[in-house]
Amino acid sequence: MKKKILALLLTAAMSIGFAGCSSAEQTEANTTDASAQPEATTTEDEASEATTQETTELPDITVNVGVLSGPTGVGAAKLMNDSKNGETVLNYNFTVETENSNIVAAVSNGELDIAAIATNVASNLYNKTDGGVQIIALNTLGVLYILENGNEINSISDLEGKTIIAPGQGANPEYVIKHLLQENGVNATVEFMTAEEVIAKMNNGEATVCMLPVPAATSLQMKNENIRTALDLTAEWDALNSGSQLTMGAVVVRTEFAQQYPEVVKQFLEEYTASIEYVKTNVDEASQLVADFGITANAQIAAKAIPQCNLVAITGAEAIKSAIAGYYDVLYAADPASVGGAIPGEDFYFAG
């Protein structure tokens, strides 16, 4: 905030300096007696500009932000580091959680102002709180993969009769795999457990087929070189030609917070978007930050996973709705409970 105030003072000083130069030039060029000139007054435009400078000053508050470990949290790593080093415009307090439910609880009770969560969880939270949250960005597209210890699965039809172990019950992974199986007429059993349990069972041979998001999938393959990527579920989703896009990660804000501090939300989006772009284009440097903040287990996993995370920074109400509406329609048709019983209304999309 100090940087912003300093910038305004410098701007004012420069304006005065320029005004002085302009006045001197006018005096030299004009042969009319100075006493005949009208007294200088503040124009309407200048008054408006001064008012704008005053009203756009950001409030001195701390923004509480929650992110999930894994792909939805990866893009925030640079912003988290900048905040730690005092290099952000806003003051932040970041929390990293491993479960959507912890983030949801913290948003619901007001402990968090902004949070990165699964897209279907965002819709559920909106419905659960009667519009208490708004979506302000999409941050990840499809990040799910079918992994196999073997070489039998080369198409989704090859999952027929298989048991797939997977994390993500009640969130995007559950609805994505069930939708894909149903649409392709495949009968398979899906057993849900934590990502850690999936990795352990695949690694010790108790299971041979699993579904994991990156970077958990990356971690497993680094532990066991016999485990291969059999299917990219984003590609399988696209193959359905449903007109929808697989959008798995979103950022939400408490509606009350957004209404009280819309300029803060806009500033956050500016800094967050820059963070995502940095992570995407500076993988080696970003991977260490991702590991430092506990978003992945280590930098090696992060470095291999970041290119597969499908990081995006889609902002603006129309752009977000255009990208995600079809996905919500598909989830609702498969199971209304997957999006909280209803498709979110127009007020779900933050307009600024």
Side-chain angles (χ1 to χ4, degrees):
M1 215 60 68
K2 292 178 180 178
K3 292 183 282 186
K4 188 172 184 68
I5 294 171
L6 179 58
L8 289 176
L9 291 173
L10 288 172
T11 300
M14 292 173 66
S15 298
I16 294 170
F18 289 142
C21 292
S22 176
S23 176
E25 291 167 359
Q26 180 67 20
T27 301
E28 184 178 339
N30 201 330
T31 58
T32 306
D33 191 290
S35 62
Q37 300 301 311
E39 184 178 349
T41 59
T42 300
T43 67
E44 202 171 302
D45 287 345
E46 289 172 337
S48 175
E49 182 180 351
T51 302
T52 300
Q53 288 182 343
E54 291 177 5
T55 57
T56 55
E57 176 67 22
L58 295 172
D60 189 12
I61 62 171
T62 296
V63 184
N64 297 302
V65 183
V67 302
L68 283 168
S69 58
T72 56
V74 166
K78 179 64 163 60
L79 178 56
M80 294 169 73
N81 191 61
D82 288 348
S83 174
K84 176 183 175 182
N85 294 330
E87 298 173 352
T88 56
V89 173
L90 297 174
N91 300 315
Y92 294 105
N93 176 39
F94 281 94
T95 300
V96 179
E97 294 284 357
T98 59
E99 298 293 334
N100 273 292
S101 58
N102 294 335
I103 296 284
V104 167
V107 173
S108 298
N109 63 28
E111 291 178 22
L112 292 177
D113 305 309
I114 295 172
I117 54 179
T119 48
N120 83 293
V121 174
S123 178
N124 270 277
L125 186 55
Y126 166 85
N127 284 310
K128 177 182 177 182
T129 59
D130 295 322
V133 297
Q134 292 181 298
I135 189 168
I136 59 175
L138 297 175
N139 61 11
T140 47
L141 302 180
V143 295
L144 290 172
Y145 297 86
I146 295 293
L147 306 181
E148 179 194 20
N149 191 341
N151 197 32
E152 295 182 5
I153 301 169
N154 296 293
S155 69
I156 198 161
S157 61
D158 293 332
L159 292 173
E160 181 71 31
K162 302 289 187 184
T163 295
I164 307 164
I165 61 173
Q169 187 170 24
N172 279 315
E174 176 181 2
Y175 301 112
V176 169
I177 187 61
K178 288 185 174 180
H179 177 69
L180 289 173
L181 292 174
Q182 180 179 347
E183 290 299 304
N184 286 280
V186 176
N187 292 311
T189 301
V190 184
E191 294 182 358
F192 291 98
M193 56 194 69
T194 67
E196 291 75 17
E197 290 171 327
V198 170
I199 291 173
K201 287 180 180 294
M202 288 291 291
N203 202 35
N204 65 24
E206 288 184 49
T208 58
V209 182
C210 74
M211 176 184 68
L212 281 172
V214 291
T218 310
S219 176
L220 174 56
Q221 290 179 300
M222 290 179 67
K223 292 175 183 292
N224 190 332
E225 61 182 15
N226 295 320
I227 296 174
R228 69 182 188 91
T229 300
L231 300 173
D232 177 350
L233 295 190
T234 301
E236 298 299 329
W237 187 281
D238 291 343
L240 295 177
N241 293 316
S242 63
S244 65
Q245 188 174 10
L246 191 52
T247 49
M248 297 189 62
V251 182
V252 298
V253 63
R254 288 190 297 108
T255 302
E256 181 181 8
F257 184 88
Q259 291 174 343
Q260 187 173 3
Y261 304 114
E263 295 303 321
V264 170
V265 177
K266 292 177 184 177
Q267 181 62 44
F268 164 79
L269 287 173
E270 183 177 323
E271 296 187 312
Y272 183 65
T273 296
S275 179
I276 289 176
E277 290 305 312
Y278 178 90
V279 172
K280 288 169 62 177
T281 56
N282 299 272
V283 174
D284 290 340
E285 296 86 349
S287 61
Q288 186 60 57
L289 298 179
V290 170
D292 289 345
F293 290 108
I295 298 169
T296 63
N298 57 60
Q300 291 74 26
I301 291 174
K304 289 183 177 294
I306 288 172
Q308 295 179 294
C309 281
N310 284 326
L311 297 177
V312 294
I314 300 174
T315 61
E318 290 303 318
I320 294 171
K321 185 177 180 181
S322 177
I324 202 172
Y327 180 59
Y328 279 154
D329 288 340
V330 169
L331 292 186
Y332 181 81
D335 181 1
S338 66
V339 292
I343 301 293
E346 292 294 326
D347 60 332
F348 180 52
Y349 302 96
F350 174 74

